[in-house]
């Protein structure tokens, strides 16, 4: 029996670290909350009597479900936060009645779960369809003049949201209740405890005095809401998604997930026109546009200097708090409208953003934004290159996608090619995409005059640097040191290379490095990892001989997903305590002759969900969370965090949108990069960006094929990943379950080797998503079994061929298949060696070696496409 030394604490008390991190996220959560409406109701003058209603009042959702869930010691509900802040909640009776309804629903769900066939989402979400009626007695209770209704929605891994009532749309009873409260109370505040858009039409007409989207704010939700309501903190978040009037306004409404009508294939016919790129280019008015957000004060923006050449476009923006009473923070958003040429172009694309510090009334801050001009390029499939087409580029500055002014005009003479690639994503079954060439796009009022008056900069295409990509093939690693056993220590000291070590390994050994230590699906849950609750671990097959140790990976995006409490018996076996909330609640069936020796505690912070954090528009918020997360990894002994998740919010119904940042790839890429850099500053730990790539839906996720044009893949779905890889070099990348243009991403050499390693210079280790090669794992995937799936599962040996270094959590079947493929000449030794080398190189950098250093000591990163900061 393997025995680890568990590094987590044996002290049951709430630790100082827990308290410190809780206080820090409470401080930053208001920066992520978006004030959608306010007629002056907020902030409230003082905590008073409150009539509190709505499913989220006492059952505030802290984050979504599945592997991205969290296990904090406690998460504050809105009710608790208000009471703690000194409010008197006068509707306890209504809240108790709702509790009864809720408890019944949970019981029903538990029964369904036992009966099987239920998606992960449902394990943590409860339908809001039932609700307790609001009676005349409730309305009269406590003679409150202020009411709050907390609307909540949840989603999770394994299932998408639906475009029906009780999810995207409000139910009839929710609408009735909200309208009644808006009419009855002089002050009525609607709080949205959601992580993705809900029906804008109702929000616009419901009569609420204020609407606050609190997002999903982890452990601090209720407390941070109370801080915002009382004006102790200002909500300074802005939307990172477009909130439409109705679901059918989205470009993907007919082709998303289940709605596409086909279970096997999804055609991304909207091409580039996702989110605001669609709403603006086709002039569809959103309820709340991308980038929108109010605050308690007002701001004025003025561009005080601007310059542009072929290398850089730079602006200084002076932001002044023009209000008289409240301080606050403002975002500065820069958009570029590129000229249409042989390529169709969206009306505008976000090019840079920044957030001010806290500005008191009358106070100003100058923000300097410097963008690489080549970043304004588009991808031309015809040229197989990123290029800027000739014409006028308008640089727009503002505080949302629809509140901007033209600050500069760049005029380019002829086409400038900036990066030459190979086209890699041909789709034999591709369909035409929509185009906005004939469409009348949105135009900001006064835009023509502003463009005519804006400073003009002439650019010369010949002066742009051209970058040409190389795509080398792997070569066999030869053993030049036979007779000498190369050890981890020799490689770590620089005496030998990883390649030299790998050259000494047999195929049987190599294949162990290329798979996690899992045995088979049936026994996965019984594997014991170095950290109880971890999701997988690398092999220790060469521990005795070469001292290559095993590294542990753990979810998840909003907090470490390790078992919060477990006991260790004298014989070295452990038991995870079911009552401590471990997601998979594994119980190790060892004989219990022995006594309990230690009781361990691994309570980690529940951070706000990624989509909520992104609404801060502040990379410093992401860095702060990454820094805390890194500290917790060190504390519990995790080497590789399976986060951040960073897929594009292609559609508001994506079941895992809460884990992802935005509909916009720049926001996704910058936020992820800040998070990764903060984690990887610590010695020997790293991040994993996932799910690579084009994983925009949960429906049928193991078997569904996304059909997307090369241009949309590169400009929308890969762009964020590219930013994260180039500027933050995450230690790991996790592939997705889906297929892309007919090939499983986990088996795609084009994606993993040619794009990721050759074009972007990726240095770390690529892993599969869990069980991607195994069948019979429908617990993870709601899918339609009425007919056989058109697309099968990922093939193990093709992972290695593609450059997917390690199959997680790994199984004996995976290892046998890979070895058989090698024997049959379907997989080369060079491919397997290259994968094993990537795994070993990464593992040798982790802190299972005492003297490890930050990943950044040996892995170089590039500068970001833009820089922003106080002048
Ligand atoms: C999820 C991943 C997660 C993995 C390990 C999969 O089901 O898609 O995001 O990291 O499980 O828990």
């Amino acid at each position: 029996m393997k025995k680890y030394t568990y590094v987590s604490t044996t002290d049951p008390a709430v630790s100082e670290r827990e308290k410190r991190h809780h206080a820090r996220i409470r401080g930053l959560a208001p920066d992520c909350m978006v004030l959608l409406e306010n007629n002056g109701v907020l902030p409230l003058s003082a905590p008073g009597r409150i009539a509190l209603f709505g499913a989220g009042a006492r059952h505030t959702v802290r984050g979504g479900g599945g592997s991205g869930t969290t296990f904090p010691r406690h998460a504050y509900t809105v009710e608790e936060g208000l009471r703690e802040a000194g409010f008197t909640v006068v509707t306890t009776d209504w809240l108790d009645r709702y509790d009864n309804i809720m408890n019944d629903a949970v019981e029903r769900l538990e029964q369904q779960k036992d009966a099987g066939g239920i998606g992960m989402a449902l394990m943590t979400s409860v339908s809001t369809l039932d609700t307790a009626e609001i009676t005349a007695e409730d309305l009269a209770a406590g003679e409150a003049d202020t009411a709050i209704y907390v609307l909540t929605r949840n989603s999770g891994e394994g299932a998408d949201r639906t475009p029906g009532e009780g999810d995207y749309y409000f139910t009839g009873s929710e609408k009735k209740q909200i309208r009644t409260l808006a009419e009855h109370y002089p002050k009525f505040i609607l709080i949205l405890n959601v992580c993705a858009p809900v029906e804008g039409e109702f929000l616009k007409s419901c009569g609420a005095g204020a609407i606050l989207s609190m997002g999903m704010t982890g452990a601090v939700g209720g407390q941070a809401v109370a801080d915002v309501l009382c004006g102790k903190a200002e909500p300074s978040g802005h939307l990172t998604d477009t909130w439409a009037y109705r679901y059918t306004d989205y470009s993907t409404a007919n082709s998303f997930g289940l709605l596409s009508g086909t279970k096997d294939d999804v055609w991304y016919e909207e091409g580039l026109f996702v989110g605001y790129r669609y709403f603006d280019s086709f002039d569809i008015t959103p309820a709340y546009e991308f980038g929108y957000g109010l605050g308690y004060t007002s701001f004025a923006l003025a561009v005080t200097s601007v310059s542009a050449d072929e290398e850089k476009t730079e602006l200084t923006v002076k932001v002044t708090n023009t209000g008289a009473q409240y301080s606050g923070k403002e975002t500065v958003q820069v958009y570029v409208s590129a000229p249409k040429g042989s390529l169709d172009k969206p009306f505008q694309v976000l090019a840079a953003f920044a957030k001010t510090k806290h500005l008191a009334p009358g106070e100003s801050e100058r923000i300097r934004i410097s963008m690489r001009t080549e970043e304004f390029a588009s991808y031309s499939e015809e040229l197989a290159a990123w290029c800027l087409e000739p014409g006028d580029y308008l640089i727009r500055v503002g505080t949302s996608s629809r509140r901007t002014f033209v600050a500069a005009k760049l005029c380019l003479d002829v086409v400038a090619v900036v990066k030459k690639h190979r086209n890699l994503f041909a789709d034999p079954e591709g369909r035409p995409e929509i185009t906005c060439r004939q469409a009348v796009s949105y135009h900001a009022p006064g835009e023509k005059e502003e463009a005519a008056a804006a400073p003009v900069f002439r650019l010369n295409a010949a002066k742009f640097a051209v970058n040409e990509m190389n795509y080398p093939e792997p070569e066999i690693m030869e053993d030049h040191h036979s007779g000498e056993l190369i050890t981890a220590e020799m490689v770590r000291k620089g005496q030998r290379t990883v390649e030299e070590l790998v050259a000494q390994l047999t195929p049987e050994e190599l294949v162990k490095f290329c798979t996690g230590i899992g045995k088979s699906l049936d026994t996965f849950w019984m594997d014991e990892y170095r950290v109880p609750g971890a999701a997988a671990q690398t092999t220790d097959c060469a521990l005795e001989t070469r001292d290559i140790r095993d590294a542990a990976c753990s979810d998840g995006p909003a907090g470490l997903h390790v078992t919060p409490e477990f006991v260790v018996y004298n014989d070295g076996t452990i038991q995870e305590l079911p009552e401590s909330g471990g997601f998979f609640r594994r119980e190790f069936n060892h004989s219990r002759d022995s006594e309990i020796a230690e009781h361990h505690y691994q309570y980690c912070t529940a951070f706000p969900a990624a989509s909520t954090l992104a609404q801060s528009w502040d990379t410093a918020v992401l860095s702060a969370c990454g820094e805390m997360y890194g500290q917790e990894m060190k504390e519990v002994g995790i080497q590789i965090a399976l986060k951040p998740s960073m897929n594009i919010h292609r559609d508001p119904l994506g079941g895992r949108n809460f884990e992802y940042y935005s509909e916009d790839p720049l926001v996704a890429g910058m936020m992820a990069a800040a998070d990764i850099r903060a984690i990887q500053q610590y010695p020997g730990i790293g991040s994993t960006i996932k799910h690579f790539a084009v994983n925009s839906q949960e429906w049928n996720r193991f078997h569904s094929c996304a059909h997307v044009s090369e241009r949309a893949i590169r400009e929308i779905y890969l762009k964020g990943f590219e930013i994260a890889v180039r500027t933050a070099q995450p230690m790991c990348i996790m592939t997705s379950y889906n297929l892309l243009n007919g090939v499983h991403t986990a088996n795609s050499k084009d994606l993993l080797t040619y794009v990721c390693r050759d074009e972007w210079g990726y240095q770390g280790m690529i892993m599969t998503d869990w069980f991607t090669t195994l069948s019979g794992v429908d617990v993870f995937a709601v899918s339609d079994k009425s007919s056989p799936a058109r697309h099968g599962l990922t093939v193990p040996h093709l992972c290695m061929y593609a450059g997917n270094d390690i199959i997680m959590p790994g199984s004996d079947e995976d290892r046998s298949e890979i070895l058989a493929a090698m024997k049959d000449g379907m997989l080369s030794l060079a491919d397997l060696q290259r994968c094993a080398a990537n795994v070993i190189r990464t593992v040798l950098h982790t802190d299972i070696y005492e003297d490890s250093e930050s990943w950044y000591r040996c892995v170089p990163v590039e500068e970001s496409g833009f820089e922003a900061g106080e002048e």
Side-chain angles (χ1 to χ4, degrees):
M1 175 62 48
K2 193 158 48 177
K3 183 171 176 188
Y4 289 111
T5 307
Y6 300 107
V7 297
S8 46
T9 180
T10 51
D11 183 353
V14 179
S15 71
E16 286 309 310
R17 185 272 298 158
E18 282 178 77
K19 290 183 203 157
R20 215 173 41 243
H21 288 186
H22 187 94
R24 270 183 93 184
I25 57 167
R26 179 173 177 175
L28 57 80
D31 288 2
C32 311
M33 294 186 179
V34 184
L35 188 60
L36 294 173
E37 302 282 350
N38 189 12
N39 66 5
V41 166
L42 288 179
L44 299 171
S45 48
R49 284 195 301 267
I50 284 278
L52 181 63
F53 300 97
R58 194 175 268 177
H59 299 277
T60 313
V61 175
R62 65 177 187 276
S67 59
T69 195
T70 49
F71 310 116
R73 233 183 251 262
H74 181 69
Y76 279 82
T77 67
V78 172
E79 183 191 7
E80 287 171 336
L82 291 176
R83 287 190 195 274
E84 190 189 71
F87 286 90
T88 305
V89 176
V90 298
T91 45
T92 312
D93 190 51
W94 187 91
L95 294 168
D96 289 346
R97 286 188 343 255
Y98 183 75
D99 266 357
N100 295 338
I101 291 172
M102 178 90 177
N103 291 340
D104 289 350
V106 171
E107 217 167 276
R108 279 201 308 277
L109 276 176
E110 287 294 325
Q111 282 161 10
Q112 284 175 36
K113 195 160 68 177
D114 290 346
I118 183 164
M120 272 197 189
L122 297 179
M123 294 187 191
T124 46
S125 77
V126 170
S127 161
T128 52
L129 279 173
D130 303 328
T131 186
E133 206 167 311
I134 298 178
T135 62
E137 290 77 51
D138 294 323
L139 294 174
E143 294 177 1
D145 72 346
T146 307
I148 294 177
Y149 189 97
V150 188
L151 177 108
T152 188
R153 295 289 187 262
N154 200 357
S155 68
E157 187 178 345
D160 291 313
R161 294 176 59 205
T162 67
E165 290 190 0
D167 203 339
Y168 179 81
Y169 287 99
F170 289 73
T171 64
S173 64
E174 284 171 341
K175 284 186 177 172
K176 195 171 139 217
Q177 294 189 335
I178 289 168
R179 287 206 174 102
T180 305
L181 299 178
E183 275 163 27
H184 183 81
Y185 291 92
K187 294 182 203 161
F188 172 57
I189 301 149
L190 174 60
I191 294 182
L192 306 177
N193 174 212
V194 301
C195 244
V198 287
E199 172 190 3
E201 191 148 46
F202 178 69
L203 294 177
K204 283 285 186 188
S205 62
C206 70
I211 304 180
L212 175 72
S213 180
M214 67 175 283
M216 292 184 184
T217 348
V220 301
Q223 291 176 316
V225 161
D227 291 343
V228 165
L229 296 185
C230 300
K232 268 170 80 182
E234 299 88 32
S236 66
H238 285 241
L239 297 177
T240 52
D241 287 329
T242 305
W243 286 40
Y245 273 90
R246 52 202 82 77
Y247 177 67
T248 46
D249 287 349
Y250 290 98
S251 58
T252 48
N254 292 324
S255 64
F256 178 72
L258 252 177
L259 310 171
S260 64
T262 77
K263 72 174 193 153
D264 301 302
D265 298 274
V266 181
W267 276 273
Y268 287 38
E269 286 172 42
E270 75 284 356
L272 304 175
F273 298 103
V274 176
Y276 68 91
R277 286 167 169 79
Y278 174 68
F279 283 79
D280 294 342
S281 307
F282 291 83
D283 198 16
I284 297 164
T285 306
Y288 303 104
E289 72 271 15
F290 175 82
Y292 171 88
L294 303 173
Y296 289 161
T297 185
S298 51
F299 292 93
L301 266 59
V303 172
T304 56
S305 77
V306 50
S307 66
D309 60 21
E310 292 75 11
E311 199 192 327
K312 282 191 170 145
T313 300
E314 296 190 317
L315 303 158
T316 304
V317 186
K318 183 179 170 198
V319 186
T320 308
N321 181 345
T322 52
Q325 210 178 345
Y326 299 105
S327 62
K329 296 180 180 179
E330 183 54 291
T331 61
V332 177
Q333 303 172 25
V334 182
Y335 295 84
V336 174
S337 295
K340 285 194 191 9
S342 60
L343 297 172
D344 197 9
K345 303 276 164 62
F347 171 71
Q348 60 181 352
V349 168
L350 184 72
F353 59 90
K355 186 123 177 204
T356 66
K357 61 183 185 198
H358 237 99
L359 296 176
E363 197 184 354
S364 300
E365 182 182 356
R366 279 170 197 275
I367 296 208
R368 188 164 180 75
I369 295 177
S370 173
M371 298 166 280
R372 279 209 305 267
T373 308
E374 66 165 37
E375 296 291 327
F376 308 157
S378 308
Y379 190 80
S380 160
E381 291 173 26
E382 196 187 332
L383 301 176
W386 287 89
C387 64
L388 289 101
E389 293 199 295
D392 295 346
Y393 290 74
L394 297 186
I395 311 292
R396 302 169 189 271
V397 177
T399 56
S400 87
S401 57
R402 295 213 168 184
R403 295 179 189 200
T404 61
F405 54 91
V406 180
K409 190 158 95 178
L410 278 51
C411 308
L412 177 65
D413 50 358
V414 292
V415 65
V417 170
V418 291
K419 274 179 209 151
K420 288 190 183 164
H421 285 296
R422 269 187 205 162
N423 282 334
L424 293 167
F425 299 103
D427 182 9
E429 299 182 12
R431 290 183 185 169
E433 291 174 343
I434 59 171
T435 150
C436 71
R437 282 188 189 280
Q438 313 305 330
V440 179
S441 66
Y442 159 79
H443 279 283
E447 179 187 300
K448 256 199 189 139
E449 297 72 31
E450 286 170 12
V456 175
F457 300 89
R458 306 222 165 264
L459 304 181
N460 178 345
K463 289 196 182 158
F464 280 88
V466 190
N467 225 317
E468 202 151 340
M469 301 300 147
N470 255 328
Y471 302 90
E473 286 301 323
E475 283 169 20
I476 293 198
M477 297 168 195
E478 308 271 2
D479 181 12
H480 300 297
H481 301 277
S482 51
E484 172 193 72
L485 187 89
I486 300 180
T487 62
E489 192 186 5
M490 292 172 174
V491 176
R492 298 187 77 248
K493 284 192 172 152
Q495 295 157 347
R496 293 284 175 263
T497 64
V498 170
E499 290 72 18
E500 287 169 328
L501 187 157
V502 164
Q504 297 191 332
L505 301 177
T506 63
E508 287 70 22
E509 283 174 309
L510 288 169
V511 90
K512 285 189 182 152
F513 283 102
C514 296
T515 50
I517 62 168
K519 293 174 197 81
S520 74
L521 180 63
D522 294 341
T523 56
F524 165 67
W525 311 118
M526 310 304 260
D527 277 322
E528 291 182 31
Y529 295 130
R530 147 188 307 284
V531 179
Q537 198 155 303
T538 60
T539 182
D540 66 356
C541 68
L543 181 68
E544 313 269 284
T545 46
R546 299 172 192 268
D547 193 30
I548 303 178
R549 305 180 191 173
D550 43 357
C553 309
S554 168
D555 290 302
L560 275 167
H561 188 151
V562 290
T563 308
E565 289 185 34
F566 63 95
V567 288
V568 186
Y569 290 85
N570 273 333
D571 65 1
T573 62
I574 70 154
Q575 186 176 9
E576 298 176 281
L577 295 183
E579 55 277 18
S580 72
F583 183 62
F584 293 116
R585 297 186 177 177
R586 288 172 291 173
E587 280 187 78
F588 298 100
N589 294 324
H590 304 301
S591 59
R592 298 288 177 208
D593 301 340
S594 118
E595 297 285 300
I596 291 181
E598 289 166 357
H599 190 137
H600 281 255
Y601 301 86
Q602 308 188 109
Y603 281 101
C604 293
T605 304
F607 294 92
S611 62
T612 301
L613 288 175
Q615 292 183 162
S616 66
W617 287 71
D618 190 356
T619 51
V621 165
L622 276 291
S623 303
C625 292
E627 191 197 315
M628 289 184 262
Y629 198 105
Q631 271 180 38
E632 296 183 20
M633 287 171 73
K634 290 297 228 183
E635 186 184 308
V636 300
I638 289 292
Q639 285 71 49
I640 296 167
L642 302 175
K643 75 140 194 170
S645 310
M646 54 180 303
N647 294 93
I648 292 296
H649 294 170
R650 172 179 179 244
D651 184 283
L653 304 184
R656 291 181 89 170
N657 280 4
F658 70 95
E659 285 188 44
Y660 309 146
Y661 298 107
S662 173
E663 67 186 24
D664 180 81
L666 182 72
V667 173
M670 295 299 290
M671 296 301 170
D675 182 27
I676 298 161
R677 280 197 295 263
I679 290 179
Q680 297 188 167
Q681 70 178 316
Y682 293 99
I685 58 172
S687 266
T688 307
I689 50 174
K690 65 187 189 183
H691 309 88
F692 190 54
V694 200
N695 180 192
S696 316
Q697 68 183 50
E698 290 303 285
W699 169 246
N700 210 18
R701 63 183 175 154
F702 279 70
H703 303 281
S704 134
C705 178
H707 294 272
V708 197
S709 72
E710 173 116 17
R711 183 175 173 203
I713 292 175
R714 289 183 180 271
E715 287 192 28
I716 305 288
Y717 296 97
L718 295 190
K719 192 75 198 161
F721 286 102
E722 178 174 2
I723 293 169
V725 167
R726 285 186 188 276
T727 70
Q729 282 286 350
M731 196 177 257
C732 302
I733 293 180
M734 185 192 296
T735 52
S736 52
Y737 289 128
N738 56 283
L739 299 93
L740 176 57
N741 294 348
V743 182
H744 268 286
T745 58
N747 287 163
S748 170
K749 185 166 185 172
D750 294 331
L751 184 65
L752 308 183
T753 298
Y754 298 141
V755 168
C756 196
R757 294 206 185 263
D758 298 342
E759 294 181 4
W760 303 347
Y762 182 58
Q763 311 264 320
M765 159 177 122
I766 303 182
M767 65 176 82
T768 65
D769 199 346
W770 269 231
F771 306 112
T772 189
T773 58
L774 295 172
S775 53
V777 286
D778 273 358
V779 63
F780 285 111
V782 177
S783 55
D784 178 352
K785 294 178 214 72
S786 57
S787 57
R790 178 177 174 218
H791 307 290
L793 287 156
T794 305
V795 178
H797 79 270
L798 291 182
C799 291
M800 275 70 247
Y801 166 76
N804 204 339
D805 305 311
I806 180 164
I807 297 176
M808 286 299 200
S811 69
D812 291 334
E813 291 86 345
D814 290 332
R815 287 181 274 276
S816 308
E817 197 276 349
I818 296 167
L819 287 173
M822 275 195 76
K823 265 198 198 129
D824 296 348
M826 284 151 64
L827 179 69
S828 71
L829 178 64
D831 280 330
L832 197 61
Q833 285 179 327
R834 180 197 45 184
C835 293
N838 289 332
V839 173
I840 295 172
R841 190 180 308 108
T842 306
V843 168
L844 297 192
H845 273 100
T846 62
D847 65 3
I848 22 174
Y849 295 93
E850 297 71 24
D851 55 348
S852 62
E853 293 178 321
S854 158
W855 183 238
Y856 293 128
R857 291 285 299 212
C858 55
V859 178
V861 291
E862 293 179 21
E863 274 180 17
S864 302
F866 77 86
E867 299 286 336
E870 193 172 355
E871 198 181 47

